[in-house]
Amino acid sequence: MVKSEKIGSYKVGKNVEIGKNVTIDKTASIGNNVIIGDGVYLGRNVVIKDDVIIKNNVMIEDNATIGYDNLTKKKEIYEEYPTIIGENALIRTNTVIYKSCKIGKDSWVNHNTILRENTEVGDNCTIGNLVMCEGYTKIGNQVAIHSLSGLGGNMIIEDKVFIATNLVTANGRRPTYLRNMPYIKDEGPIIRYGARIGISVILLPEIEIGREALVASGAIVTKNVPPFSIVMGVPAKVVGIVPDDERL
Amino acid sequence: MVKSEKIGSYKVGKNVEIGKNVTIDKTASIGNNVIIGDGVYLGRNVVIKDDVIIKNNVMIEDNATIGYDNLTKKKEIYEEYPTIIGENALIRTNTVIYKSCKIGKDSWVNHNTILRENTEVGDNCTIGNLVMCEGYTKIGNQVAIHSLSGLGGNMIIEDKVFIATNLVTANGRRPTYLRNMPYIKDEGPIIRYGARIGISVILLPEIEIGREALVASGAIVTKNVPPFSIVMGVPAKVVGIVPDDERL
Amino acid sequence: MVKSEKIGSYKVGKNVEIGKNVTIDKTASIGNNVIIGDGVYLGRNVVIKDDVIIKNNVMIEDNATIGYDNLTKKKEIYEEYPTIIGENALIRTNTVIYKSCKIGKDSWVNHNTILRENTEVGDNCTIGNLVMCEGYTKIGNQVAIHSLSGLGGNMIIEDKVFIATNLVTANGRRPTYLRNMPYIKDEGPIIRYGARIGISVILLPEIEIGREALVASGAIVTKNVPPFSIVMGVPAKVVGIVPDDERL
């Protein structure tokens, strides 16, 4: 490991450890209390904020920000951890990962995506482009969330869930004027193991999508979906059962 | 105030005035005829174009562009003003605010959002991440517009409106081939005081969402919504009245 | 033409030819085997990767990436060409155009948009802000695709098609766990000459939107739409015929 004082022309804070075979663009910036593993790549204008751990062979592309810390609310309920990017993870251009997020190993977060505080992504996941996750959300392993999805926060997404483009989820039954109110931790929906969600689906809060259920494109899901069922429509109704040969 | 000639290593145009206790990253760029108030922060690669007024204690984060001026059409109808960012406003990373926009005091515009020309945002507003506003739109005070919303332009949004994730609005009854046609200023919808809009709602042009009305998630609104009514469905129909204890 | 060795302070690779009256910001970066025509503008932090041809009078704005090459799958089926940006094209800030894309002359690609590999855009097109195209898609001439649209890939969009905000298309009947499976080239929908698509429409895979058909806002299109017909609803049904005076 190399102490931060020995680093070249990029900006670097205090208490920084950097591994071997690391490539850091001279325009990158590294904050305080940062650990960077072996073989890491940090592209142009990458900003690593304070209290970040970047494991071996991570690739962080141009203009991405890791450990973003300009939190403007929720301070009272916010749980603070180091931000962790797992081995071999790929963070593509312009993406912002807030502080206290955790990205699992071999996971990709694509371009122009925002993951707010306390978003936890498992291993072997793909988070698409132009995705917004409001945070306080736990995503399992081998999950795919496609582009232009907006996750309202306070969700649980279990392993092997597949989410197509433009899923939108809510985490409050009645919209409210958040800037004036005490922060209430509403619950987003829960998506169980291996469930599959088509394009442009809407999930209301507090509902549960059962194990390996299939939600058809364009469905508005207003209540729980039983395991292995196929739902469709506005509002979504059960129209069938996932056949055996499509089960995990 | 400090004359622009005295500024350090960042790029700065003519006729620039800069207040006290200002932090400007050396990679930032400032155009001509710019006023920057006290306590302003301009992050890495921030671009301030010509004719911009940035009031006290504004924070503009990395890669944001203010007063963006590459307008490629609508020149004949375009009304030109200075671009103004109000006191204490926060503009997050990668956001582009076009020329002749006005952002009110204490308002936030989140990551990767585009506000086109002549968008006026009031005080104490929150504009989400990955939002697109086509411009020529007036947004009141204390308005929340959540992420992934696409506002078609020529809209009025009054005070205390709450818009959840992925609202999309239209401003023409029939889609047309704009690049070949004279520009017609179609009217987008009007959203009255205190109305609340659920996730993934669609609003057609020229309609009015009445005062404190509540539009359920996934609704397609094709005609006017009376004040205080609750509408739902495809197309949206009145299904109830907002109870007294939820009114402002 | 000027050999790359003669270039100023920006980064430049091998085998680069640069035309006359070119403006290249000193923070830009140019890869190997690149041809840049006359009158080209490359903004701040623009990255031109390897094997890119930029024709005369192209404008590429700040933080855009052209010829992006971090492909992580599909290698076996991927067809590789030079990335080409046609005369007078405008690529706005933060946009990423993958390798082997082709953008026609006089076309614009707006802010924060992602076009994946083998996306071909014709002449005089407008691609909106915050658009995602998964690639392997051919877009004709004079096509408008508005903001926040998510094109699932493997699509054909013919000339003079108009697509309003937030179209989402699918390219597989059943969602699957792509990271574990052999890549199957599912077919996205085909949109024929002059068709018009309203806001927040959903198109399922393999269907065809007929010539000059009109799809109403919010429709979920599950089967072929005949030429010149008007469809509406969930699922979309024919409700009329496009009148003569609206035909091309």
Side-chain angles (χ1 to χ4, degrees), chain A residues 44-45 59 61 90 92-94 106 108 111-112 125-126 129-130 142 147-148 160 162 194 196 200 218 246, chain C residues 27 29 45 47 68 70 72 94 96 98 112 114 130 132 148-150 168 174-177 179-180 202:
Chain A
R44 298 154 56 88
N45 299 309
M59 184 167 197
E61 297 188 336
L90 166 62
R92 296 202 202 236
T93 66
N94 295 322
D106 299 303
W108 306 329
H111 308 276
N112 294 5
C125 290
T126 304
N129 305 276
L130 303 161
Q142 235 176 305
S147 299
L148 292 163
K160 299 199 179 177
F162 179 97
R196 297 179 289 172
S200 292
E246 287 192 23
Chain C
T27 58
S29 165
N45 299 308
V47 176
Y68 177 90
N70 196 348
T72 41
N94 294 322
V96 180
Y98 274 57
N112 293 5
I114 316 297
L130 303 160
M132 170 63 195
L148 292 162
S149 289
V168 180
R174 292 278 160 122
T176 49
Y177 308 92
R179 294 277 292 273
N180 303 311
I202 294 172

Side-chain angles (χ1 to χ4, degrees), chain B residues 76-97:
Chain B
E76 66 276 23
I77 61 102
Y78 173 62
E79 294 172 62
E80 200 157 341
Y81 306 103
T83 308
I84 302 175
I85 310 294
E87 288 89 340
N88 302 312
L90 167 62
I91 312 297
R92 297 202 203 236
T93 66
N94 294 323
T95 278
V96 180
I97 294 181

